[in-house]
Amino acid sequence: MKIMPNRMDRGFYQYQEEFEEKALKVLRSGWYVLGEEVSAFEEEFAAYTGAKFCVGLASGLDALWLAFRALNIGLGDEVIVQANTYIASVMGITINGALPVFVEPDEYYQIDAAKIEEKITDRTKAVLVVHLYGQAADMKPVVDLCRKYDLKLIEDCAQSHGACYDGKMTGTFGDIGCFSFYPSKNLGAFGDGGAIVTDNEQIAADIKVLRNYGSEKRYYNKIVGTNSRLDELQAGLLRVRLSHMDEITKEKQAIAARYLRELHNPKIELPKKREQAGHVYHQFVIRCKERDELQAYLNEKEIGTIIHYPIPPHLAEAYRYLGFLKGAFPITEQLAEEVLSIPMYNGMTEEEQDFVIRALNEF
Ligand SMILES: *Cc1c(COP(=O)(O)O)cnc(C)c1O
């Protein structure tokens, strides 16, 4: 049995008829950019998260950098972010010329809230929380700190669609929540897509202007913006998926529950969940001291795995200019050597789950 780390085709076939019907409808409509589907999706996704406004964008990275742009955070400003994140979180900060200030993660792989305060300087403008792998970060202390120091709070929810903390959706704790709809995400499009959610009407309006060349009215450009519009086709397909989001999330949580129940190998550390935090298992990330051997062993059995992420942003070639050397963030660096994401996707059969569980227990 060959098992891939992710199978996006399975998620398509689960709702094939609805996707195909919607795609045809959009194709035949003659309207392909910023139309009814985008507006409807924005309304529905805002309602899903509990935020007042949503603005559809072309990608998760755009959501991040446009969020900082809308908050006027750029050159000379510092933004606190966890060190063990996908590099897009950091690029969202640096594209605007701001400086990322890294904080080590806690035992749940989320930003260690107890280590934020010591990093605050008079240049700190914001905290970017990443709800990594689908688990909500420890929001209570983060929100309190942002209030105390008057910092903006932005959330990177590219992996946390539908994950709550104390019953409140991720993306709604601060000023702006940033989402990606890259196909592999829990709410995935069939191409690139992204969005921001916010309760602030002005921010939503500003980002709408930014995404469309800085114009509110066609050919009247108030500011220098960009082209970051969500396609009608993607918005329509996202609406189909969003209407099934509870099932999609529950299915992944059920696979995770099985893994947590049935995996028992002393060499493998299973992911932990904070009590107040929801987890939608965008990834099921295990830890192993012999990670590379484990990955090779699984590979031999045709079980595909991915490392999220092998090189922490502070050690990426792109960020050499920040001047960090190996050892700067030891917890993050150790995670990069030990984490492994095992197969986890909608439409994963029980036989496939059995096969993965058996192989891991026999390692
Ligand atoms: C996927 C991802 C992004 C970027 O989203 P894109 O749509 O690929 O630009 C940002 N942050 C995190 C944590 C992600 O996983």
Side-chain angles (χ1 to χ4, degrees):
M1 191 175 334
K2 189 177 163 72
I3 303 179
M4 297 191 330
N6 195 354
R7 288 289 300 265
M8 287 170 273
D9 54 333
R10 297 276 178 85
F12 164 67
Y13 286 113
Q14 285 179 317
Y15 308 107
Q16 179 180 6
E17 262 179 47
E18 288 174 69
F19 283 132
E20 289 180 352
E21 194 180 311
K22 178 65 84 174
L24 270 180
K25 182 172 171 251
V26 175
L27 289 175
R28 287 169 175 165
S29 75
W31 193 281
Y32 306 119
V33 172
L34 296 187
E36 281 171 21
E37 295 291 345
V38 169
S39 302
F41 173 72
E42 287 173 341
E43 237 167 74
E44 290 161 9
F45 193 64
Y48 174 75
T49 61
K52 288 203 182 105
F53 308 97
C54 167
V55 181
L57 300 166
S59 74
L61 176 64
D62 282 358
L64 287 160
W65 79 261
L66 289 171
F68 288 107
R69 178 68 58 94
L71 293 170
N72 246 321
I73 293 171
L75 209 63
D77 298 331
E78 294 178 0
V79 177
I80 291 172
V81 63
Q82 73 194 60
N84 65 322
T85 183
Y86 180 48
I87 203 152
S89 316
V90 183
M91 288 190 181
I93 298 167
T94 59
I95 285 171
N96 290 295
L99 193 70
V101 174
F102 296 112
V103 171
E104 292 268 45
D106 61 19
E107 60 183 306
Y108 306 95
Y109 308 142
Q110 310 306 322
I111 192 165
D112 190 338
K115 292 181 182 162
I116 293 177
E117 197 160 18
E118 66 200 52
K119 301 280 179 147
I120 297 173
T121 72
D122 50 9
R123 288 181 301 277
T124 309
K125 288 292 178 336
V127 175
L128 173 63
V129 167
V130 186
H131 305 289
L132 200 69
Y133 306 144
Q135 175 166 201
D138 197 10
M139 293 314 287
K140 170 87 172 67
V142 175
V143 167
D144 289 348
L145 272 176
C146 288
R147 285 222 181 97
K148 183 172 165 194
Y149 289 94
D150 194 23
L151 303 177
K152 300 290 184 198
L153 174 55
I154 298 103
E155 295 170 77
D156 182 341
C157 306
Q159 306 189 358
S160 73
H161 317 74
C164 290
Y165 176 90
D166 266 344
K168 190 172 153 71
M169 281 273 191
T170 51
T172 63
F173 283 84
D175 298 276
I176 305 178
C178 304
F179 289 85
S180 163
F181 307 124
Y182 183 77
S184 68
K185 311 289 185 183
N186 279 25
L187 176 57
F190 294 81
D192 278 303
I196 62 97
V197 299
T198 180
D199 280 341
N200 185 316
E201 191 165 14
Q202 190 59 52
I203 287 175
D206 289 348
I207 292 181
K208 274 191 177 173
V209 168
L210 281 167
R211 78 171 167 188
N212 201 16
Y213 299 115
S215 71
E216 215 159 356
K217 192 168 155 214
R218 207 172 202 180
Y219 307 132
Y220 290 81
N221 303 78
K222 295 199 295 191
I223 52 170
V224 178
T226 185
N227 173 356
S228 182
R229 302 172 296 221
L230 181 62
D231 295 340
E232 280 287 279
L233 190 59
Q234 298 305 341
L237 297 170
L238 282 166
R239 288 180 70 199
V240 171
R241 199 159 253 163
L242 182 59
S243 73
H244 297 290
M245 204 52 200
D246 290 342
E247 294 152 52
I248 287 170
T249 302
K250 284 200 181 106
E251 189 187 353
K252 282 196 138 181
Q253 286 168 332
I255 298 168
R258 247 204 104 189
Y259 279 160
L260 289 170
R261 220 170 31 239
E262 298 181 29
L263 286 175
H264 36 72
N265 183 330
K267 288 183 176 169
I268 292 170
E269 192 181 318
L270 299 174
K272 292 190 280 280
K273 196 183 84 59
R274 181 178 263 114
E275 206 184 308
Q276 312 89 302
H279 201 326
V280 295
Y281 295 98
H282 170 60
Q283 301 296 346
F284 192 93
V285 179
I286 61 174
R287 253 182 107 163
C288 180
K289 294 257 182 245
E290 298 154 51
R291 193 267 316 274
D292 294 342
E293 290 85 344
L294 175 59
Q295 188 175 37
Y297 157 89
L298 291 171
N299 219 14
E300 203 134 287
K301 293 190 178 296
E302 295 197 301
I303 297 175
T305 54
I306 303 182
I307 298 166
H308 295 102
Y309 299 92
I311 301 170
H314 72 277
L315 296 179
E317 199 177 335
Y319 286 120
R320 205 177 280 164
Y321 73 88
L322 294 174
F324 292 109
L325 298 176
K326 211 165 162 43
F329 298 97
I331 301 173
T332 296
E333 290 166 25
Q334 195 179 349
L335 280 176
E337 284 173 14
E338 296 182 2
V339 294
L340 192 66
S341 305
I342 63 174
M344 156 68 79
Y345 46 85
N346 288 101
M348 186 177 191
T349 65
E350 266 184 47
E351 292 71 42
E352 288 172 331
Q353 296 167 37
D354 290 339
F355 194 71
V356 171
I357 290 167
R358 203 171 323 121
L360 280 166
N361 284 340
E362 284 169 8
F363 173 66

